[in-house]
Amino acid sequence: MGFATNALMQTGDSSEHIGAAEQALANLRRAERELLDVFQHHMPNRSFGCQDFYLMGIARRSLAQARAFRSCIEDLNWLVAAALLRLQLDTVLRLYALYWVADPEDFAGRVFAGEQVNRMKAADGNQMSDRYLIEKIKDQNAWVESVYKNTSGLIHFSSRHMHAAIRLKDEQTGLIEGFIGPTDPNHTVEDFTETIEAFFHCTAMVGVACGDWFERFNTVERRPAPGTEEPELP
């Protein structure tokens, strides 16, 4: 089976004069390139198992969402950019689920066949809900909990979208105006710095964890090397 990757935009390197948002975007582009490098290094000339397909799906989704995210940021389309951040975090959680199951190859095969991760159980018998996966990784990445909480309301239609369609014009009179354009001209890219930084960290986590997982592979068993201790996260 062949393996191919898409080319990424190479512009946007940082400099000492770059703004915080542009620096975060440059970091994101670097994380995308590094994720591609992981697969280009590990995938050629090897046999494939279901875990490989799982990791490839993770990477494919991550890179597609990253490109769309950068486009939304450039368009000042924060509503969709923040929803994409939530989806990127979802990708991180599903990737890290591999660390908690008893048989990663069987788990990956079941997902490939159509089973949902959040309806499957970890090795400790707990169902792998988003809450379970967040609890497992938040000690080393405390920010994931607040990002999850602050962006979940943007996936399905909610009050967040209603509030985004109005703007306060006069604090004294309470006058508001409706606003239904796709972008917000009252903001700049710098206003979205925290969102960009969070997306970068999610994407970097995907690259690091994928690289770690490839290193753990036993080439015969197609699973991490045997061991009963709690896996150390990358």
Side-chain angles (χ1 to χ4, degrees), residues 72-100:
C72 286
I73 291 296
E74 291 167 4
D75 287 342
L76 303 180
N77 185 352
W78 183 85
L79 271 181
V80 176
L84 287 168
L85 170 57
R86 172 64 181 82
L87 294 177
Q88 197 77 328
L89 178 55
D90 176 84
T91 309
V92 171
L93 297 179
R94 268 63 184 162
L95 171 55
Y96 273 70
L98 280 173
Y99 288 96
W100 316 123

Side-chain angles (χ1 to χ4, degrees), residues 21-185:
E22 287 300 322
Q23 178 65 68
L25 284 170
N27 290 340
L28 174 56
R29 294 186 185 96
R30 187 186 72 247
E32 293 173 69
R33 294 194 295 269
E34 289 174 351
L35 176 55
L36 282 171
D37 289 344
V38 166
F39 281 79
Q40 289 170 334
H41 174 72
H42 288 285
M43 295 302 291
N45 302 317
R46 57 180 286 140
S47 59
F48 278 62
C50 288
Q51 289 172 85
D52 298 277
F53 296 135
Y54 194 93
L55 296 177
M56 288 166 63
I58 288 286
R60 176 74 172 85
R61 186 191 196 201
S62 298
L63 293 171
Q65 289 173 168
R67 174 165 292 191
F69 175 84
R70 289 190 280 106
S71 178
C72 286
I73 291 296
E74 291 167 4
D75 287 342
L76 303 180
N77 185 352
W78 183 85
L79 271 181
V80 176
L84 287 168
L85 170 57
R86 172 64 181 82
L87 294 177
Q88 197 77 328
L89 178 55
D90 176 84
T91 309
V92 171
L93 297 179
R94 268 63 184 162
L95 171 55
Y96 273 70
L98 280 173
Y99 288 96
W100 316 123
V101 296
D103 188 332
E105 184 69 14
D106 175 71
F107 166 75
R110 290 166 62 189
V111 175
F112 188 84
E115 291 192 49
Q116 293 180 218
V117 173
N118 63 356
R119 294 185 179 178
M120 301 166 70
K121 291 186 176 181
D124 61 11
N126 286 301
Q127 195 162 337
M128 289 191 293
S129 63
D130 287 0
R131 172 48 50 192
Y132 173 85
L133 296 171
I134 288 172
E135 289 294 326
K136 296 292 282 186
I137 67 174
K138 73 176 187 179
D139 285 346
Q140 296 185 40
N141 302 278
W143 54 271
V144 301
E145 187 165 29
S146 61
V147 169
Y148 181 88
K149 184 180 300 183
N150 291 330
T151 57
S152 289
L154 293 165
I155 299 300
H156 303 291
F157 181 78
S158 70
S159 62
R160 297 288 295 277
H161 300 95
M162 298 170 69
H163 287 289
I166 57 175
R167 295 190 294 200
L168 181 64
K169 292 289 290 183
D170 190 316
E171 292 186 5
Q172 292 184 337
T173 65
L175 179 66
I176 63 173
E177 70 172 0
F179 176 73
I180 59 172
T183 63
D184 193 339

